[in-house]
Amino acid sequence: MTNSAPSPLSVSDLTVAYHRKPVVWDIGFDIPQGSLVGIVGPNGAGKSTLLKAVMDLIPRASGRIEVFGLPWKQARHRVGYVPQRESVDWDFPVDALDVVTMGLYRELGWFRPVRRRHRDRAMEALDRVGIADLAGRQISQLSGGQQQRTFLARALVQDADLYLMDEPFAAVDASTERAIVEILRELQRTGRTAAVIHHDLQTVPEYFDYVVLLNMRIVAHGPVAEAFTTENLQKTYGGRLTLLDEVSEAMRRRERSM
Amino acid sequence: MIQLLAMPGLRLLPADWDWGLDGQIVLAGVLCAVAASLLGNFLVLRRLSMLGDAISHAVLPGLAAAFFLSNSRDSLPMLVGAVIAGVVTALLTEWIRSLGRVEEGASMGVVFTSLFALGLVMIVQAADEVDLHPDCVLYGALENMTMTSVAGFSIPTPVITLGTVLLINLLFVILFFKELKVTSFDPSLATTTGFNASFMHYLLMVLVAVTAVASFETVGNILVVAMFVVPPAAAWLLTDRLWLMILLSAVLAAASAFGGHVAALEVPKWFGYGSTTTTGMMAVVAGLILFLAALFSPSHGILIRLIRRRMLAFSILADDIVALLYRIQERNHETSATFQNLQTILLSDRLSLKCVLYLLIRREQVVPDGQEFRLTDSGTSSAQQLVRSHRLWEQYLASHTAVQPGSLHDKAEKFEHFTTRELRKQLSDATNSPDVDPHGREIPGESVEQDSQTP
């Protein structure tokens, strides 16, 4: 790179395999500082896997990941994560405020209890996403949109420089979608970077300025105007890489017959 | 308090209750139950209830190995052996699961049954040399506790051990409350924010193993497994707050221990037998508490759900009566609004219909008029809103969806009960404020007064 400032997220040669079967394969991209990045691809393209591998939550077969030019462990305090809704245990006995306060635990460190000023900050974040009045609700009593806002508020209190969001727009109402976009824009204005897994192709050019097209491997990445083309989309959505599937299947079969 | 409980008139306690002996048993039971349930909260919340079961069984070979190696029943080698066995169980379970094709429950089942069996074989072998009995491992021996003398007082040894374990568990839960909460709720957030979720996991497992061992000789395997899981599960049914859940689980655990001992003394007498084992009864009482919690929980209870369903059915029936009376008036009383007719048309049972009509008359929405029923002004107004909702829905469904014309009515009939003024406005806007529904009937206007109908 010619830039002096390191990219918020730089991935090279990343491969993640599950039982020898690659889920994402030879991924490499850098995202520019201060951009809103849409990560787009069909079901099973490995979008969530990519984010989880970046955060060291699942083992990778190969690859290097740098966050602001540093390895993950040294830079993770600068990253905020919004998980996929399906991965959350909604019956857990916590209310919205508790969930948001968890975003401050890193700052608190081991053993230190949560104090009033932390709760106040969490409350502010809930207010920012427009659900301060629901702070005391157990999380399963919130609507889908409100649940998503809660997790967004949690990411906000983390005050991170890079946000990784796994489908924040999935199953939310129109007003929540607008609220999320509003917050993404505000994050961008204050110099933050966000990488967002996104499903709705129609809104990509409107919401994002940079796009990563993914289907097991990177099909294209770049500014939306350049990379988000019909041709690239066709390549992304035009079926899986069948030959890659076939060779990995052959590898498995060979191993079994040994 | 103590005098009150022992007063002969009250008979809360069995007649031959002896605070010296029975008090000791209850104390040991309570200490064990509370110590186990404190940790159990996090097992239940992590959906790892089985792991508590697994570890408390699997520490057995660790204990047996400690006997063989140290040739004594000292606490320290036993503790070390148990902790190692406990951690090995957790690791093996994780490893077998990661092999694939074995789900977590099955891999736990494989690990703990094998280890438990191994432990039993070793203990049977050792039984000639060491004074440990397999029976004692299963049921404990609360009734015959060894005594230690501390500062001139003779205190049962298990009370000291279990008291220490309870203290450790209590400190663990208080000091690591935040860490336990975040690693249980969201391991990925915990890990990405620097709280190592697997470290907390294994720390929890070590304490589970320690608690299991400390409980072994007194209360045995059965009770400790029950106490890890049952009081927390009951407490979870009763509250949505984590700290309250932990507190409640401790209270319920203590109550099961106390109630268990009383029941062990009393219940067999009803059937003409002598008293039975306290530990078994403690587990039974805990199960009973869980059952009661499931029945009467204020938010998730079976009873409250039944009541809510009944209330909803009544409120829908009330809506239906009012709307039917309105339609009868609209068609100039082609049908007479008698009780019999209402019942036939609404397919309602007599009792519900009577109740709801009584309610409507008290609310001054309906008045009886000879054999028939008539809407009051306020009744007419709320009926208009219902019918308006119904016909707007029909119009909306007919123009915006591909619902079959024949089933328009059924759909609208369902939605009308849950349609607020706000929603009606949106429906009306979406269908260009129609005057008639798809069947050509007039859609009544929006009422002017405050909308009283809530979903």
Side-chain angles (χ1 to χ4, degrees):
Chain A
M1 285 213 309
T2 48
N3 283 9
S4 53
S7 159
L9 177 61
S10 157
V11 177
S12 46
D13 302 327
L14 174 72
T15 297
V16 179
Y18 183 70
H19 290 277
R20 289 248 157 182
K21 202 169 173 151
V23 186
V24 294
W25 191 75
D26 202 18
I27 301 237
F29 62 88
D30 294 323
I31 59 179
Q33 165 70 34
S35 53
L36 294 181
V37 184
I39 300 174
V40 178
N43 283 330
K47 303 184 294 291
S48 296
T49 306
L50 169 64
L51 285 196
K52 284 187 187 135
V54 165
M55 290 183 293
D56 242 357
L57 293 173
I58 48 174
R60 21 182 214 265
S62 72
R64 209 182 69 241
I65 282 155
E66 281 184 357
V67 177
F68 297 104
L70 297 168
W72 166 253
K73 274 230 164 72
Q74 290 165 41
R76 65 183 176 198
H77 61 278
R78 298 179 70 181
V79 180
Y81 174 49
V82 178
Q84 206 173 3
R85 278 194 43 198
E86 285 76 47
S87 68
V88 176
D89 177 3
W90 296 106
D91 288 330
F92 202 88
V94 285
D95 59 28
L97 188 67
D98 282 332
V99 171
V100 179
T101 315
M102 284 180 197
L104 293 165
Y105 283 9
R106 167 163 47 206
E107 201 181 306
L108 277 159
W110 289 85
F111 303 121
R112 300 249 194 70
V114 175
R115 296 194 186 285
R116 145 107 351 121
R117 68 192 144 92
H118 301 117
R119 266 188 227 107
D120 287 348
R121 270 172 66 194
M123 206 61 192
E124 248 167 62
L126 275 175
D127 196 38
R128 215 169 131 195
V129 298
I131 51 165
D133 50 329
L134 303 173
R137 285 260 185 104
Q138 200 272 334
I139 48 174
S140 67
Q141 318 275 323
L142 300 169
S143 74
Q146 292 160 350
Q147 291 174 339
Q148 203 56 265
R149 286 170 193 236
T150 306
F151 277 84
L152 198 65
R154 186 178 80 177
L156 288 179
V157 298
Q158 283 184 282
D159 202 19
D161 294 312
L162 170 66
Y163 286 96
L164 303 176
M165 306 188 181
D166 200 341
E167 295 209 40
F169 294 107
V172 300
D173 52 294
S175 76
T176 301
E177 179 146 350
R178 277 197 302 277
I180 298 175
V181 172
E182 200 54 44
I183 281 163
L184 284 176
R185 298 253 158 84
E186 202 186 317
L187 288 174
Q188 190 180 28
R189 269 200 297 280
T190 50
R192 323 297 171 90
T193 311
V196 180
I197 294 181
H198 194 54
H199 247 137
D200 183 14
L201 290 179
Q202 272 190 337
T203 49
V204 167
E206 186 190 336
Y207 293 171
F208 302 105
D209 44 34
Y210 197 89
V211 70
V212 174
L213 292 173
L214 186 75
N215 189 353
M216 284 178 75
R217 83 293 184 199
I218 296 277
V219 175
H221 67 102
V224 169
E226 291 165 29
F228 197 66
T229 60
T230 320
E231 197 197 335
N232 282 338
L233 280 175
Q234 246 157 20
K235 271 197 241 166
T236 314
Y237 285 84
R240 295 168 62 92
L241 275 186
T242 42
L243 290 180
L244 197 57
D245 271 347
E246 243 164 65
V247 73
S248 55
E249 190 51 41
M251 276 158 65
R252 269 148 56 97
R253 268 203 306 272
R254 176 76 60 82
E255 193 182 70
R256 216 174 282 170
S257 65
M258 286 291 180
Chain B
M1 180 68 190
I2 287 171
Q3 275 90 8
L4 194 73
L5 283 170
M7 254 163 57
L10 275 171
R11 290 273 298 139
L12 274 174
L13 293 174
D16 49 359
W17 185 268
D18 167 11
W19 275 107
L21 183 65
D22 295 304
Q24 279 175 7
I25 295 177
V26 167
L27 184 61
V30 167
L31 289 174
C32 166
V34 175
S37 72
L38 282 178
L39 301 181
N41 283 290
F42 297 98
L43 293 177
V44 170
L45 287 175
R46 288 162 184 241
R47 325 264 161 182
L48 285 176
S49 310
M50 272 287 282
L51 199 54
D53 194 351
I55 287 181
S56 50
H57 280 86
V59 292
L60 201 55
L63 291 184
F67 282 143
F68 278 125
L69 292 177
S70 72
N71 237 331
S72 75
R73 274 184 65 175
D74 285 348
S75 317
L76 195 66
M78 271 174 50
L79 207 64
V80 174
V83 167
I84 293 173
V87 173
V88 165
T89 312
L91 284 171
L92 273 180
T93 306
E94 198 53 35
W95 178 66
I96 291 186
R97 195 173 60 90
S98 71
L99 289 179
R101 297 214 196 158
V102 187
E103 48 109 12
E104 192 140 21
S107 70
M108 278 181 212
V110 170
V111 172
F112 93 76
T113 45
S114 329
L115 286 180
F116 186 62
L118 180 69
L120 270 183
V121 171
M122 287 165 83
I123 282 191
V124 171
Q125 273 302 318
D128 302 332
E129 300 162 38
V130 204
D131 55 339
L132 186 87
H133 207 267
D135 268 3
C136 164
V137 170
L138 287 177
Y139 309 116
L142 256 186
E143 288 82 357
N144 315 302
M145 292 187 281
T146 50
M147 307 297 274
T148 312
S149 163
V150 178
F153 293 100
S154 174
I155 299 173
T157 323
V159 168
I160 299 171
T161 341
L162 289 169
T164 316
V165 170
L166 172 59
L167 203 66
I168 293 172
N169 290 356
L170 196 64
L171 277 175
F172 173 67
V173 170
I174 292 174
L175 277 178
F176 288 94
F177 181 71
K178 173 175 111 258
E179 288 76 9
L180 281 166
K181 186 167 166 178
V182 69
T183 50
S184 303
F185 175 62
D186 193 342
S188 19
L189 175 83
T191 307
T192 56
T193 52
F195 297 99
N196 193 324
S198 29
F199 170 72
M200 285 309 290
H201 177 77
Y202 287 109
L203 194 56
L204 181 63
M205 292 313 136
V206 165
L207 285 180
V208 165
V210 170
T211 310
V213 167
S215 315
F216 251 31
E217 52 176 335
T218 9
V219 296
N221 217 299
I222 297 176
L223 178 68
V224 74
V225 170
M227 288 305 147
F228 274 132
V229 179
V230 183
W236 196 2
L237 285 169
L238 298 175
T239 177
D240 281 335
R241 295 268 173 279
L242 181 57
W243 64 268
L244 193 58
M245 172 179 164
I246 297 172
L247 194 70
L248 269 178
S249 75
V251 171
L252 294 180
S256 334
F258 185 78
H261 185 57
V262 174
L265 296 178
E266 278 295 285
V267 174
K269 284 186 202 156
W270 301 345
F271 305 99
Y273 297 105
S275 61
T276 179
T277 91
T278 294
T279 53
M281 265 307 184
M282 284 184 184
V284 171
V285 171
L288 209 63
I289 288 178
L290 177 69
F291 176 71
L292 290 178
L295 211 56
F296 297 111
S297 155
S299 48
H300 317 284
I302 294 169
L303 201 71
I304 197 77
R305 284 215 301 265
L306 279 179
I307 292 173
R308 278 201 205 120
R309 208 174 302 156
R310 200 65 254 170
M311 300 277 278
L312 181 64
F314 272 13
S315 115
I316 286 177
L317 184 58
D319 285 355
D320 285 344
I321 293 173
V322 168
L324 178 61
L325 291 176
Y326 181 83
R327 289 194 176 96
I328 288 174
Q329 277 172 17
E330 201 180 38
R331 291 178 201 176
N332 298 319
H333 301 270
E334 278 170 27
T335 346
S336 57
T338 60
F339 186 87
Q340 197 54 51
N341 280 348
L342 289 181
Q343 197 193 342
T344 320
I345 299 171
L346 294 171
L347 300 168
S348 162
D349 61 287
R350 283 184 69 86
L351 186 65
S352 305
L353 189 59
K354 263 190 182 160
C355 287
V356 176
L357 272 172
Y358 174 74
L359 270 174
L360 285 171
I361 292 168
R362 276 202 51 181
R363 267 193 242 153
E364 297 183 346
Q365 296 204 314
V366 171
V367 283
D369 181 10
Q371 286 292 307
E372 296 188 47
F373 294 92
R374 204 158 46 71
L375 287 173
T376 63
D377 287 347
S378 105
T380 310
S381 159
S382 63
Q384 268 172 348
Q385 299 325 303
L386 271 167
V387 173
R388 177 173 163 79
S389 300
H390 182 98
R391 293 181 182 165
L392 279 172
W393 269 117
E394 286 190 334
Q395 184 63 30
Y396 177 79
L397 290 173
S399 57
H400 283 66
T401 69
V403 173
Q404 300 275 316
S407 63
L408 275 179
H409 176 83
D410 293 342
K411 296 263 185 298
E413 186 75 24
K414 202 183 286 166
F415 296 158
E416 66 179 22
H417 304 292
F418 307 94
T419 308
T420 56
R421 174 191 284 265
E422 175 59 29
L423 192 52
R424 278 199 296 277
K425 188 176 171 320
Q426 288 177 22
L427 281 170
S428 170
D429 291 347
T431 49
N432 301 322
S433 317
D435 298 324
V436 290
D437 71 2
H439 310 293
R441 276 186 296 262
E442 188 199 342
I443 298 178
E446 187 65 51
S447 67
V448 265
E449 79 249 55
Q450 197 51 50
D451 189 8
S452 62
Q453 192 199 351
T454 41

